[in-house]
Amino acid sequence: MFDMKYHDKATCLNTTRISYWSKPAANAVKFPASYVSANSSEAAVLWFELQKATNGSWMIRKISAMP
């Protein structure tokens, strides 16, 4: 995870929320995902942009800390 200072990197994060879906194009979606560390309770949000490929699978186009 990008800037999580107190999260133990050897453990997984829990996803707490995926919300505010938007569809900027017919073959694209954008949304933020909220995470929390089980061992430190530190929280973070990452924005995802996905694009549907010609074969029908969804590919991650961008992951960022800001929209």
Side-chain angles (χ1 to χ4, degrees), residues 41-63:
S41 296
E42 183 177 12
V45 175
L46 286 178
W47 282 83
F48 291 83
E49 291 183 31
L50 307 176
Q51 185 172 355
K52 195 171 193 177
T54 54
N55 68 1
S57 63
W58 287 91
M59 307 293 287
I60 296 174
R61 196 181 147 121
K62 182 179 176 183
I63 301 173

Side-chain angles (χ1 to χ4, degrees), residues 2-65:
F2 293 128
D3 292 323
M4 294 185 80
K5 297 176 185 175
Y6 306 103
H7 168 64
D8 178 1
K9 305 298 190 262
T11 62
C12 294
L13 294 168
N14 296 322
T15 305
T16 58
R17 177 180 291 177
I18 297 175
S19 57
Y20 306 112
W21 288 86
S22 66
K23 193 169 182 181
N27 65 340
V29 293
K30 182 178 180 179
F31 59 90
S34 301
Y35 300 93
V36 67
S37 170
N39 56 16
S40 70
S41 296
E42 183 177 12
V45 175
L46 286 178
W47 282 83
F48 291 83
E49 291 183 31
L50 307 176
Q51 185 172 355
K52 195 171 193 177
T54 54
N55 68 1
S57 63
W58 287 91
M59 307 293 287
I60 296 174
R61 196 181 147 121
K62 182 179 176 183
I63 301 173
S64 64

